[in-house]
Amino acid sequence: MNPLLEQFLSESRDAIQSIGEKLLQLETAPNDEALMGELFRLVHTLKGNSGLFELPEMIRVLHAAEDLMDTVRAGEASYSQDLADQLLEAMDFVSAVLDEIQQAGTDSLPADAERSAAALDLAGSLKQLKPEKAQPETLTSTNPATDTATESATEAAEAANDADQDLALAQVPEAVRMHLFERMLAGETFFWICYQPEEGCFYKGEDPLFQIIQLPTLAWRALSAREPWPAAEALDAYRCLLRFECITAMDREGLLEHFRYVPDQVQIRPIALDDLPIPSGAEHDAVPVADYLQSAMASLHQGDLPSLIQSSKVLLELTAPELRIASAMRWLLLLLETQPEDQRLAAALLQRIRQQEDPAATSMPPTATSANAATGVSAMPQPESIAIDEHLTGILQTQAEILALDDHPDWLPGRLHAVAASLRAAFRCLGQEALLAPLEQALEQALEQTHPQPLRAWLEVNGAPYLASAANAMAALESQTASPAPDDATSLDSSPEVVTASTPADAAASAQPPARKFGRRLEDSYAAPSSIKVDQTKIDTMMNLIGEMIVAKNALPYLAARAEKVFGVRDLAREIKAQYSTIHRIADEMQDAIMQIRLLPVSFVFQRFPRLVRDTANKLGKEVHLVMEGESTEADKNVIESLADPLVHIIRNSLDHGLETADERRAAGKPPTGQLSIRARSESDRVVIEIADDGRGIDPDTIRRKAYEKGIIDEQALERLSDQEAVNLVFAAGFSTAAKVSDLSGRGVGMDVVRNAVAQVNGSIDLKSEFGKGTRLRLSLPLSMAVSNVMIIQSAGQRFGVSMDAVAETVRVPEANIQLIKQQKTTVLRGRVMPLMALNDLLGLDQPQVANDDREFAVLVVRLEHDFLGILVDDCLETVDIILKPLAGFLGSIKGYAGSALLGDGSVLLVINPRGLL
Amino acid sequence: MKRILVIDDAATVRLYHREILEKAGYQVAEAINGLEALEKIEEAPFDLYLVDINMPKLDGYGFLRALRQREMPQAPAIMISTESSDSDRQAALVAGANLYILKPTRPEHLLPYVQSLLGEWQRT
Amino acid sequence: MGMDFHDETVVINDILGVEEAETLLEWLLEHPQAQVDLSNCNHLHAANLQVLMALRPRIQAWPDDPELTDWLKAALDD
């Protein structure tokens, strides 16, 4: 994965975490503006970051979230539970996408219908929470490219100017449009589709042609290239430049479903009746339409349809059929014929004809469909214009705008200097170094007068040729904005653009004091964390290295012994020993320091509980007060991480089965709000976590009965079991106390899974419950899993290690004291019968265990939960501290071994996992 | 080598711009907000500033106003924003920006502006 | 499957996959006067369509499938 993507994932996860926290804080302080501001900033940053990658769904959701937060922050919408829920859900979605990216190792995720649908849904629900704005945004003040990219294609389409569609439909042959018109009058509906597959779509296994061919009932279709094809030799067959357009009778749902993988590459627009009557054809300048128009409008106004039809037919006769005016007449006649009652369309068409065919008669500017707007502008007297590249134009244009500002801030001199620096650079790029000296003079004058005028004058003279060509482009662009060309309207490409206001004068006129913004944004406060982030693998590498160093260090005493015994140099041996003790101390401290790095506070896991408890309690309709203590208690990262799932399960259990509803609680004489506490603390070298509730507790009798029903215990045990022993049966495999499987905890995962997960990190779990009063679970875990104290044992001539955590004691059992009960070797240890198993049998080694000279066997007494098991070995040797490495590769799946470790003499010790052996 | 200061509170965005600019042969320094940026320019002025708007402690506008009030060589500043409205752009120019660009900035769009404002751009 | 190249004609059979686009492009570049016979073609990947659109060889025969032909003619028929 590239560093940028890694950075993105890590920063996004942090942001999501903080967003969750802020939302929960807002729940208690919904009017805290600082909190709100920070929340907005977090969402904003998250969105900004996603924009750097190809993550359309994520951006869509975040854009909607940001929008919503902006209205909340501005006080246009208020914070609500519903809003928090939606935002949290949105963050869950973003998290899921991040997980996908993490797994795929790339930001170009394959299209996924579920993901797109979820994104659309979420964005939709977020949008619904936003209050309707009274004043619609005008087309000129927004950048259509960014808008369409971030909103769903459908919405963008619906918001779009009608003019877009005119242009798209103008290319449809008149006969087809007339046919559609008649079918629509008969009640059919049609959609216009523009599908522009992204350039890299072929690499994602997409075949846009196949996609579009599957669309049924097409009334019209067009296939073109988004940009001119490059020269044949330079053609890249795999860079998709296709644009598919068609008109279909398929309904909107069907279309959305059909394009569900590529919603952002498709525009779907309903066709309205008045979209269709577009006169098309060649222009003319010889037909006298002015008279016709005058009488036609009068006729229409008076409702004199016969004479309107008459004069229209005459004009149609007079003109060649391929002329645009003839087309207009055909449409007008069709409208009058099919809709004699409703003359709005006919009136609109006449208006249009007037604009197109007789522009002199109207003060309205010609639309892009008719006259050539650019020609009109360039016909005006212009200074000699020199075309330059758009970014230089942008820079010059912007400097002109800055110089046109008529404010006088304290920083005007600095601004003038900066403008001069920008102009200097730009003119150097233009190869106009000769102009730089006058520029310096202009700057000096401007500074003297503390007024931009001298610089403005310089730029007006020297920038004119470049700005003139820019002005042309601007004018053309403006007329396009009023009635955008199809390319612009249909483009969903989100290429960033320099935003240039129309002209300096306009910009100054539209200047608004941004005071509101300054005040608020400056107040946003945020505490930067003082820690640095390090990839876990780097720490693991360090951990491995220090492990190897400790092993390597342990070779020094051997070396000293060899120096003395083999080579007979005692002084050298002593020096080696002295060096060894120094290295030994440093290595120990180093190991300790690295372990410290790996320590994480339990809050790492605890932080998600407030939300979990809140959501779960809401779902269950229970009132729960959560108390958390000792969140700063630290333990090794692996231990902490292994805690997460068991704890979540325990909490769900508590909420689901333990705590009662408010009514039940009142009936039982308890306060209506249940109490759930999660407390962490350190106890010597262990971390203890207690989860307690004051719910209904566990009824030992119910447990006994259930356990008996499920065949977990027999009749004898049913009577013999103490209440505490009965309660502990919930940990038995296959036991689930829930009467009905609930949505929350009853997922076929029982407490046995929790117990196993805890045992895997050498932890233990302890359950106390008082029926009617509550339940308390106590987890005890080692602080660190990195260094293990193991006992070395010998069996079948090999050495093995066993974790001391698993070893209760070692005893020697005389052969005579071993009895066979039902084929099972047993012995009696301190009055209790203990089963015995031979390690060689467990490991599948075909050798009998060896007793010592006194006919005694070495027995490792292993604790398995509440039972003891004796493992027969040949001999128990010393205990050592080792750094346990899990077995790699396919060996890792062998359950009998916990891992391996290097010993000081360089040999490898396999460490047995007694639980896995059975 | 020309020095550029990238000011953005989002580490991802900083890294993104750093990669683009370093690949183009510039020396890049970073600041996580306006205040830190002001500290950085105390040490030595830069040849160009890339400024985000919305940042904690001191936002992009605040930074630009403060920068332009300093008695020091003034270099061009590009404000990089997600807001496409005229009023946001206007506010940036008032505060002291010399160019206003929309996020996300693709290298092929950003670099010509950077190079032009450094007087190094050549038509290809 | 795929394509059969004759002197100045390429015959497209059944389905022409995305991976053939490069081959088609190269052959058409070497044979600027070539014609394309699509009568046996049941589908061609959009990448191949792009090649045909950019190089505009003469289409000797259209596919049997009316839907496919309609789309191809929208792009290739003058």
Side-chain angles (χ1 to χ4, degrees):
Chain A
M1 202 184 299
N2 69 52
L4 184 64
L5 197 55
E6 274 177 35
Q7 174 69 58
F8 168 67
L9 288 174
S10 138
E11 193 175 23
S12 302
R13 290 232 162 85
D14 283 357
I16 290 171
Q17 183 61 49
S18 306
I19 288 168
E21 282 165 13
K22 297 279 173 299
L23 279 171
L24 288 175
Q25 286 170 23
L26 273 173
E27 210 149 87
T28 46
N31 295 320
D32 189 332
E33 280 180 28
L35 212 50
M36 197 73 79
E38 200 160 321
L39 186 57
F40 172 81
R41 202 184 51 73
L42 285 163
V43 176
H44 177 80
T45 302
L46 200 51
K47 189 198 88 172
N49 286 353
S50 344
L52 302 175
F53 303 91
E54 295 294 320
L55 303 164
E57 289 110 345
M58 189 160 152
I59 293 170
R60 182 173 301 143
V61 169
L62 286 170
H63 181 76
E66 185 197 22
D67 244 24
L68 177 60
M69 283 314 301
D70 199 26
T71 55
V72 174
R73 191 178 62 154
E76 288 159 25
S78 57
Y79 176 86
S80 67
Q81 177 99 8
D82 201 22
L83 184 138
D85 285 345
Q86 285 295 345
L87 282 173
L88 285 171
E89 217 174 294
M91 293 311 132
D92 287 345
F93 172 81
V94 173
S95 280
V97 177
L98 292 176
D99 288 347
E100 266 189 87
I101 297 168
Q102 176 100 54
Q103 218 155 30
T106 160
D107 62 317
S108 55
L109 296 174
D112 178 286
E114 212 179 307
R115 195 193 317 122
S116 328
L120 279 173
D121 269 9
L122 276 170
S125 0
L126 287 168
K127 228 163 257 172
Q128 279 184 350
L129 287 168
K130 208 179 125 181
E132 295 280 322
K133 261 202 176 166
Q135 150 207 17
E137 286 180 297
T138 54
L139 250 174
T140 41
S141 73
T142 58
N143 182 329
T146 41
D147 279 359
T148 43
T150 44
E151 279 170 30
S152 96
T154 336
E155 286 153 38
E158 268 157 9
N161 195 321
D162 284 350
D164 300 3
Q165 197 159 341
D166 270 12
L167 290 156
L169 289 172
Q171 51 177 329
V172 179
E174 182 184 302
V176 173
R177 273 183 285 127
M178 286 191 163
H179 184 57
L180 285 173
F181 187 84
E182 283 164 358
R183 286 173 70 181
M184 283 177 70
L185 283 179
E188 287 188 66
T189 54
F190 292 92
F191 287 91
W192 174 81
I193 314 288
C194 177
Y195 171 33
Q196 301 193 76
E198 60 184 15
E199 286 189 2
C201 72
F202 296 161
Y203 294 103
K204 297 184 179 175
E206 290 172 21
D207 181 359
L209 178 59
F210 188 76
Q211 178 83 12
I212 200 85
I213 279 186
Q214 304 302 312
L215 270 187
T217 58
L218 296 190
W220 168 82
R221 53 174 74 69
L223 217 173
S224 53
R226 271 203 293 267
E227 55 186 71
W229 296 110
E233 295 73 26
L235 182 70
D236 178 355
Y238 297 121
R239 175 169 162 248
C240 182
L241 291 177
L242 296 172
R243 168 164 50 216
F244 299 88
E245 288 165 283
C246 61
I247 293 174
T248 172
M250 197 177 192
D251 63 10
R252 182 189 291 274
E253 282 65 41
L255 288 168
L256 287 176
E257 168 71 12
H258 187 86
F259 291 107
R260 64 192 181 280
Y261 292 101
V262 288
D264 47 349
Q265 296 164 28
V266 177
Q267 281 194 326
I268 301 170
R269 296 182 185 178
I271 295 177
L273 264 188
D274 59 350
D275 292 333
L276 296 168
I278 310 162
S280 54
E283 283 182 56
H284 68 97
D285 47 13
V287 184
V289 287
D291 291 346
Y292 162 80
L293 280 170
Q294 204 164 11
S295 73
M297 282 185 156
S299 304
L300 189 67
H301 190 62
Q302 292 153 12
D304 185 2
L305 293 193
S307 69
L308 176 56
I309 291 173
Q310 182 59 34
S311 59
S312 303
K313 279 185 173 161
V314 169
L315 184 59
L316 183 56
E317 293 280 309
L318 285 174
T319 46
E322 68 274 10
L323 288 187
R324 187 171 60 199
I325 187 68
S327 166
M329 289 305 107
R330 285 190 295 270
W331 271 111
L332 189 62
L333 289 167
L334 179 68
L335 294 179
L336 295 172
E337 182 191 326
T338 52
Q339 290 190 298
E341 307 303 319
D342 183 359
Q343 288 142 18
R344 274 175 306 137
L345 287 182
L349 181 59
L350 277 178
Q351 185 62 37
R352 183 183 201 126
I353 297 169
R354 195 166 79 144
Q355 281 172 22
Q356 285 182 338
E357 312 295 339
D358 194 15
T362 162
S363 58
M364 290 181 62
T367 62
T369 34
S370 56
N372 187 333
T375 325
V377 173
S378 58
M380 293 189 299
Q382 292 286 342
E384 183 200 359
S385 70
I386 301 170
I388 53 170
D389 296 80
E390 58 165 358
H391 52 272
L392 279 169
T393 319
I395 290 169
L396 295 184
Q397 183 93 27
T398 310
Q399 305 321 303
E401 252 178 89
I402 298 169
L403 293 173
L405 294 170
D406 55 3
D407 58 348
H408 294 279
D410 296 346
W411 59 91
L412 184 65
R415 184 199 275 171
L416 296 174
H417 273 293
V419 168
S422 303
L423 292 174
R424 218 176 280 139
F427 276 81
R428 197 167 288 140
C429 294
L430 290 167
Q432 300 283 355
E433 275 90 352
L435 294 172
L436 296 182
L439 171 63
E440 297 312 317
Q441 285 167 10
L443 173 63
E444 264 171 46
Q445 285 171 16
L447 289 170
E448 265 169 40
Q449 304 169 15
T450 46
H451 196 281
Q453 179 51 39
L455 267 178
R456 197 156 64 197
W458 180 89
L459 182 57
E460 265 165 27
V461 174
N462 298 296
Y466 312 107
L467 289 175
S469 70
N472 279 353
M474 287 311 299
L477 214 145
E478 250 174 79
S479 65
Q480 277 187 355
T481 331
S483 179
D487 272 358
D488 292 342
T490 51
S491 163
L492 288 178
D493 177 31
S494 67
S495 67
E497 279 159 28
V498 163
V499 187
T500 38
S502 24
T503 66
D506 279 4
S510 69
Q512 285 160 9
R516 187 179 61 96
K517 207 160 276 168
F518 291 149
R520 193 181 56 241
R521 293 192 178 171
L522 272 170
E523 276 160 23
D524 291 353
S525 63
Y526 165 73
S530 62
S531 55
I532 56 158
K533 282 194 165 319
V534 182
D535 194 327
Q536 194 192 336
T537 54
K538 290 182 184 162
I539 296 176
D540 289 346
T541 308
M542 259 168 91
M543 201 71 204
N544 287 338
L545 287 173
I546 186 66
E548 280 172 35
M549 178 154 161
I550 285 172
V551 171
K553 165 207 78 177
N554 287 345
L556 287 177
Y558 290 90
L559 182 63
R562 264 164 63 83
E564 189 170 341
K565 286 182 189 142
V566 181
F567 302 102
V569 274
R570 179 173 289 183
D571 284 351
L572 182 59
R574 203 170 42 239
E575 268 180 53
I576 293 175
K577 278 181 191 159
Q579 286 300 319
Y580 168 73
S581 61
T582 312
I583 295 172
H584 176 76
R585 180 179 55 78
I586 296 171
D588 271 5
E589 281 174 20
M590 222 162 118
Q591 185 187 345
D592 205 46
I594 295 170
M595 307 269 259
Q596 290 289 328
I597 297 177
R598 288 180 54 97
L599 290 185
L600 273 183
V602 292
S603 60
F604 183 78
V605 172
F606 280 21
Q607 63 196 357
R608 43 172 145 156
F609 294 158
R611 166 129 189 246
L612 172 75
V613 171
R614 170 187 173 279
D615 288 359
T616 313
N618 278 352
K619 219 179 223 175
L620 293 167
K622 294 178 179 176
E623 292 169 28
V624 181
H625 179 59
L626 173 69
V627 180
M628 294 200 297
E629 280 175 20
E631 288 117 305
S632 57
T633 311
E634 288 182 323
D636 186 82
K637 187 174 190 297
N638 286 350
V639 174
I640 295 286
E641 282 173 347
S642 68
L643 264 177
D645 287 343
L647 280 179
V648 167
H649 194 78
I650 291 169
I651 289 170
R652 281 198 171 133
N653 254 328
S654 245
L655 293 169
D656 205 7
H657 309 311
L659 291 163
E660 313 92 329
T661 62
D663 291 343
E664 286 172 303
R665 290 181 66 90
R666 269 189 218 100
K670 295 181 183 178
T673 302
Q675 186 99 5
L676 178 67
S677 63
I678 307 170
R679 297 186 165 86
R681 62 175 187 276
S682 307
E683 267 181 18
S684 68
D685 62 342
R686 297 186 80 79
V687 185
V688 174
I689 295 171
E690 270 184 18
I691 304 99
D693 65 55
D694 65 344
R696 59 170 72 94
I698 299 174
D699 180 1
D701 288 333
T702 314
I703 302 286
R704 279 197 194 90
R705 204 184 61 239
K706 287 238 166 170
Y708 175 64
E709 279 167 12
K710 296 193 177 192
I712 294 166
I713 54 169
D714 56 21
E715 224 159 316
Q716 272 183 318
L718 188 61
E719 287 165 17
R720 202 192 58 232
L721 281 180
S722 71
D723 281 0
Q724 179 59 47
E725 283 168 324
V727 165
N728 278 334
L729 282 174
V730 299
F731 291 119
F735 192 95
S736 176
T737 50
K740 58 174 196 274
V741 173
S742 84
D743 168 36
L744 295 165
S745 54
R747 294 181 189 189
V749 180
M751 288 299 285
D752 57 322
V753 176
V754 172
R755 187 195 57 184
N756 290 342
V758 171
Q760 223 155 49
V761 290
N762 291 325
S764 63
I765 188 164
D766 175 61
L767 175 67
K768 288 253 159 37
S769 184
E770 203 171 332
F771 186 44
K773 295 227 173 122
T775 306
R776 195 206 68 192
L777 267 160
R778 192 167 172 277
L779 307 183
S780 166
L781 301 144
L783 274 183
S784 164
M785 292 162 40
V787 170
S788 321
N789 188 230
V790 300
M791 166 171 278
I792 299 181
I793 54 166
Q794 196 152 8
S795 201
Q798 293 180 39
R799 291 192 296 175
F800 298 96
V802 178
S803 166
M804 283 300 281
D805 289 332
V807 180
E809 61 180 313
T810 57
V811 289
R812 293 204 168 262
V813 179
E815 199 177 5
N817 289 3
I818 298 178
Q819 290 98 32
L820 274 179
I821 301 179
K822 290 186 193 165
Q823 309 289 316
Q824 170 69 60
K825 285 191 185 126
T826 58
T827 188
V828 175
L829 184 68
R830 284 192 274 282
R832 285 183 75 142
V833 177
M834 180 174 71
L836 290 175
M837 297 182 106
L839 183 62
N840 288 354
D841 292 348
L842 291 172
L843 292 176
L845 301 170
D846 192 19
Q847 281 186 42
Q849 297 298 153
V850 182
N852 66 3
D853 297 344
D854 299 331
R855 310 292 306 154
E856 286 171 340
F857 284 99
V859 174
L860 214 54
V861 180
V862 174
R863 189 174 29 220
L864 294 171
E865 299 318 314
H866 300 282
D867 289 323
F868 291 96
L869 169 75
I871 295 178
L872 291 170
V873 298
D874 291 355
D875 200 4
C876 294
L877 308 170
E878 74 272 21
T879 65
V880 287
D881 279 344
I882 50 130
I883 294 192
L884 190 64
K885 288 188 183 174
L887 293 177
F890 69 93
L891 289 172
S893 59
I894 303 176
K895 283 200 177 134
Y897 295 105
S900 68
L902 271 178
L903 293 178
D905 61 0
S907 63
V908 174
L909 183 74
L910 281 171
V911 178
I912 291 165
N913 171 18
R915 187 188 304 276
L917 278 177
L918 301 174
Chain B
M1 201 192 290
K2 294 274 165 104
R3 298 169 69 242
I4 302 179
L5 182 61
V6 173
I7 311 161
D8 200 310
D9 57 331
T12 308
V13 175
R14 291 198 306 273
L15 181 61
Y16 176 78
H17 284 138
R18 172 186 281 280
E19 285 184 352
I20 293 176
L21 295 171
E22 281 184 348
K23 214 174 276 176
Y26 296 110
Q27 191 184 332
V28 178
E30 297 178 15
I32 62 167
N33 59 42
L35 276 187
E36 201 186 281
L38 288 176
E39 283 166 23
K40 289 260 155 84
I41 62 171
E42 283 301 310
E43 294 161 19
F46 288 80
D47 298 302
L48 186 70
Y49 302 92
L50 252 57
V51 192
D52 179 36
I53 293 185
N54 201 343
M55 292 180 289
K57 289 188 180 165
L58 183 61
D59 66 6
Y61 301 120
F63 163 73
L64 283 174
R65 285 195 301 269
L67 168 72
R68 297 301 182 221
Q69 286 183 56
R70 299 279 160 118
E71 293 275 337
M72 58 185 287
Q74 294 288 349
I78 303 179
M79 189 148 243
I80 299 186
S81 164
T82 51
E83 301 300 324
S84 58
S85 78
D86 273 353
S87 61
D88 285 289
R89 176 170 186 278
Q90 193 70 20
L93 300 189
V94 166
N98 296 93
L99 200 62
Y100 188 82
I101 294 185
L102 288 182
K103 277 182 188 174
T105 44
R106 301 282 176 232
E108 63 272 26
H109 287 88
L110 180 67
L111 278 178
Y113 286 114
V114 167
Q115 288 161 346
S116 299
L117 282 174
L118 290 170
E120 292 180 339
W121 188 78
Q122 275 166 358
R123 195 173 213 161
T124 43
Chain C
M1 296 285 278
M3 299 174 274
D4 293 332
F5 297 108
H6 304 279
D7 288 347
E8 285 297 317
T9 308
V10 53
V11 179
I12 310 239
N13 294 314
D14 195 14
I15 294 167
L16 194 61
V18 62
E19 64 284 351
E20 309 282 359
E22 201 66 27
T23 319
L24 178 62
L25 173 61
E26 275 164 27
W27 190 82
L28 287 175
L29 284 175
E30 285 163 21
H31 302 79
Q33 297 305 314
Q35 300 194 4
V36 182
D37 180 349
L38 292 166
S39 53
N40 288 327
C41 174
N42 291 319
H43 181 73
L44 77 171
H45 188 280
N48 295 296
L49 172 61
Q50 273 205 154
V51 171
L52 296 182
M53 284 171 74
L55 274 69
R56 298 310 293 262
R58 211 178 78 80
I59 306 296
Q60 201 176 60
W62 297 96
D64 286 342
D65 177 357
E67 279 294 322
L68 179 60
T69 300
D70 283 349
W71 273 109
L72 294 184
K73 282 191 172 173
L76 302 171
D77 206 14
D78 311 279

